[in-house]
Amino acid sequence: MSITVNGLDELKKLAGSDLGTSEWIEVTQDRIDTFADATGDHQWIHTDPERAAQGPFGAPIAHGYLTLSLFIPLFTQLLDVRGVTTKVNYGLNKVRFPAPVRVGSRLRLAARLSSVEDVPGGVQIAVDGTIETDGGTKPAAVVQSLSRFYV
């Protein structure tokens, strides 16, 4: 369920708030292969199911950066900021991949809006996010993402 805010003043009031969790998304072999084609990273542990089945994880695993790239579509399920002209990714303060994401896994994002700070023409937000694997004991990714919203 998405939280909708109208303008930067409403966004600032959410600083420190839990944004909830997104819907689950499945990581399919097709998604992994498409990511491999887009990035040129065709390492066997991602793209060769037969060989990967004999590897350390017993199945193909998603690229760490594929898992990270899912942050934005999952995050947009949690927060909708209206009344701004531009939304941009600004960077990352922290990224870790504590557990592999096996093909067929389902992921979701749990997020907290840790800060909202003024920048020229808008605000910068920091979001602490945990990408969880359905049934996993460790997160697939832990991220602090920075975005900017301009009016």
Side-chain angles (χ1 to χ4, degrees):
M1 183 165 87
S2 181
I3 297 170
T4 300
V5 295
N6 293 299
L8 301 183
D9 289 334
E10 285 187 23
L11 180 60
K12 290 176 185 179
K13 291 177 187 176
L14 282 181
S17 296
D18 180 7
L19 300 175
T21 55
S22 69
E23 297 294 321
W24 293 103
I25 185 170
E26 184 177 358
V27 178
T28 63
Q29 187 64 54
D30 185 55
R31 183 183 295 267
I32 292 170
D33 292 342
T34 299
F35 187 85
D37 289 343
T39 62
D41 181 353
H42 292 92
Q43 184 183 17
W44 65 268
I45 203 158
H46 308 302
T47 60
D48 185 340
E50 290 179 21
R51 186 173 177 195
Q54 304 307 312
F57 305 109
I61 60 169
H63 306 72
Y65 289 123
L66 168 56
T67 302
L68 179 61
S69 74
L70 296 173
F71 179 89
I72 291 299
L74 295 171
F75 178 70
T76 59
Q77 293 179 25
L78 302 180
L79 181 64
D80 180 19
V81 180
R82 296 184 180 170
V84 297
T85 61
T86 307
K87 304 171 185 179
V88 296
N89 296 320
Y90 189 69
L92 302 164
N93 283 339
K94 179 175 101 173
V95 178
R96 297 290 184 271
F97 303 111
V101 176
R102 288 175 188 80
V103 69
S105 296
R106 293 185 336 139
L107 303 176
R108 72 176 178 184
L109 174 66
R112 180 179 177 278
L113 182 58
S114 60
S115 67
V116 181
E117 300 175 2
D118 289 322
V119 296
V123 298
Q124 177 174 294
I125 67 170
V127 175
D128 294 328
T130 302
I131 299 177
E132 305 170 340
T133 304
D134 192 8
T137 58
K138 292 182 181 179
V142 179
V143 178
Q144 185 176 68
S145 174
L146 305 175
S147 298
R148 289 192 171 182
F149 297 86
Y150 296 100
V151 290

